[in-house]
Amino acid sequence: MTKKPSHAHPASIEELTPLEARAEHARLHQEIAAHDRRYYQDDAPTVSDADYDALRLRYEALERAFPEFATAESLTKKVGARPSEKFAKVKHAVPMLSLGNVFSDEEVLEFVARVRRFLKLAEDESLRVTAEPKIDGLSCSLRYERGRLLLAATRGDGYEGEDVTANIKTIGEIPEKLHGVVPEILEVRGEVYMAHEDFAALNERQKTAGKPLFANPRNAAAGSLRQLDSRITAQRPLHFFAYAWGEVSELPAKTQMGVLDAFKRYGLRINPLTKIYATVEEMMTHYRAIEAQRATLGYDIDGVVYKVNDIALQERLGFVSRAPRWAVAHKFPAERATTILRDIEIQVGRTGALTPVARLEPVTVGGVVVSNASLHNEDEIARKDIRIGDTVVVQRAGDVIPQIVEVVKDKRPQGVKPYEFPHVCPRCGSAALREIDEKTGETDVVRRCTGSLVCPAQAVERLKHFASRNAMDIEGLGDKQIEYFYDEGMIKTASDIFTLPEREAQMSPRLAEREGYGETSVRNLFAAIEARRKIPVNRFIYALGVRHVGETNARRLARHFGDFESLRETARAAAPGGEARARIDSIDGVGPVVAEALHDFFAEPHNERELDALLKQIALEPMPAVASASPVAGKTVVFTGALERLTRDEAKAQAERFGAHVAGSVSKKTDLVVAGPGAGSKLKKAAELGIEVITEDEWFARTGQG
Ligand code: IVH
């Protein structure tokens, strides 16, 4: 008798007896239903999307082989069961940003050195930094006006969160009215979390009630806060530490610590382990002390956050992309465990990148069950000599996808072969190549499928990206639905999404008659599609999924070009060496790689046709304004010559903070040139083009900085 394959290694369906198949189908039904509950109702998924998909695929395959299992109760009849109710969206007056991470003492030293360099601090000038625990919960913004709590929002994507005011008001330690004299407008930011003890008790109650358990305190806190019924939130013991602020009419102090002290006076909780230091040695000692207390704090923390104490310096330092230059998170080392590598699966992404994913024997790492891990790329697998069947060390750090750190070579079974990375796309069979960088002659680490226009995997991934939350944000058109519509031939390209309602009217059977869809879900989907026929231009640019054009670059391009047609024309004309290419290249933060990717994208006839089709369906709106009514907002500024009050980096950061866009060279698009002593050709060019030139002092005056 041959050995029965284990659960982790499913038998091929043909090998199953009807009885075995029925048992597996029933088991999967339970498992998937439980995951659905955790995902949709409890906000606490315990598996990755990929794992969930695998279960679902197997379940569906069983039904195809044994159609009698596909009864009315089957989960395949319930596709897209998204909850219809949802929270109102809230735009953050000041974005809720994230933090850069560092993991070693050297990186902390570098952080401090970088700050000092940026500020041009002399060696004998001290720099004071606060250090406080990084709470592993979810961040919230609490808006107080005249001391009253008016609005509480989750972080969301940093720019827009969800209104959770009713739920926040159930948290006893968050005052509805602040004490004493407070700023007229005050947005307090901090972390909502659940203590270990309360988490254990909650899971105990869930267990007794036969309800699904939460994977960790953070999921429990998130699930509790995102309850539509605030009576449920009220029964969940949540806590809050204040550590930052958003919009404030007048700051109560000039330092980070001073503001935290003010928060305390107002009746908010701040973390008692917050301290101020003036040397890196002290910061590190504090870090180690907090790390040593970690297990006894009673709540989860995942590192220490350092912040420059002086708020005037914070303002000078500003932000890079989505994180402040004046703060950093010093994370604790990741947690590790060993398990067996069952398989290596190759996923094909939107840009054709073949990404290897490790399928692992499930193992608990730091309280979370892990069954997939990132393998990065071909070279990484070869370098670590990772083979299917190996025992491997898995590491998990915070939210990052678990990684395979190394192979336990002693445990390698006899006869396992080195892994051979495929040279053809597993989805479309096109050749998969590693590009060679023309300039450096180096081979790209990523192997890519060359079948861009024929590869179904790339097409589906592009569509998923297009409809995704930070792109077109089409509710009800999630990954599963896109796959369904693609497989059914109903949506092959982005423009098909917008013609779907019209085409659907001619279809037989109609969508509402199909499995998994009903009148309401179809109506909701079509309404969601209609709602996106108008979209801000930056979101649209991002949605196109051009290589190297993420949200930040999409915003830069939208800010620079204003309208989509100018971007399109310039990019189409941007052959190497030409003026159009130089123009894109000179946009601040947008380099030659992006310029090339844009040209490749817009010069491709297929993309041209698709864009025409798409733009017939939708209307683009200007990008929402970022900065306030600053007189330089939306202007393109060039700094040239020696600046005396600002370093170049600072000047750039400052201008961007005021909503201006900084370019490296003077062109017709330039609105303003700030020139210091020694300015040369740029000043001359500005004069030729009749562009306004001001001094550094005038720049300060114009931006209202005296
Ligand atoms: S300060 C602009 N301080 O970490 C800086 N964040 O990785 C705003 N977090 O989104 C963040 N403890 O949810 C700050 N003491 C702390 C924190 C903290 C936890 C979270 C916060 C933020 C994330 C960034």
Side-chain angles (χ1 to χ4, degrees), residues 567-624:
L567 162 68
R568 187 175 176 183
E569 267 166 41
T570 314
R572 198 167 18 186
E579 202 187 312
R581 172 73 68 104
R583 173 160 173 213
I584 301 179
D585 218 339
S586 72
I587 302 173
D588 179 49
V590 177
V593 177
V594 178
E596 178 170 354
L598 283 167
H599 177 63
D600 289 351
F601 181 88
F602 284 96
E604 161 65 48
H606 174 89
N607 290 340
E608 289 262 271
R609 280 195 296 279
E610 173 54 19
L611 274 175
D612 288 337
L614 204 45
L615 291 170
K616 277 204 190 97
Q617 299 294 328
I618 62 178
L620 300 178
E621 296 172 331
M623 176 165 70

Side-chain angles (χ1 to χ4, degrees), residues 97-99 132-135 139 155 191 243 305 307 324 326:
L97 298 144
S98 55
L99 290 169
E132 67 195 284
K134 184 168 190 300
I135 318 297
S139 50
R155 176 171 185 271
E191 206 84 353
Y243 52 65
V305 183
K307 299 173 185 165
W326 45 266

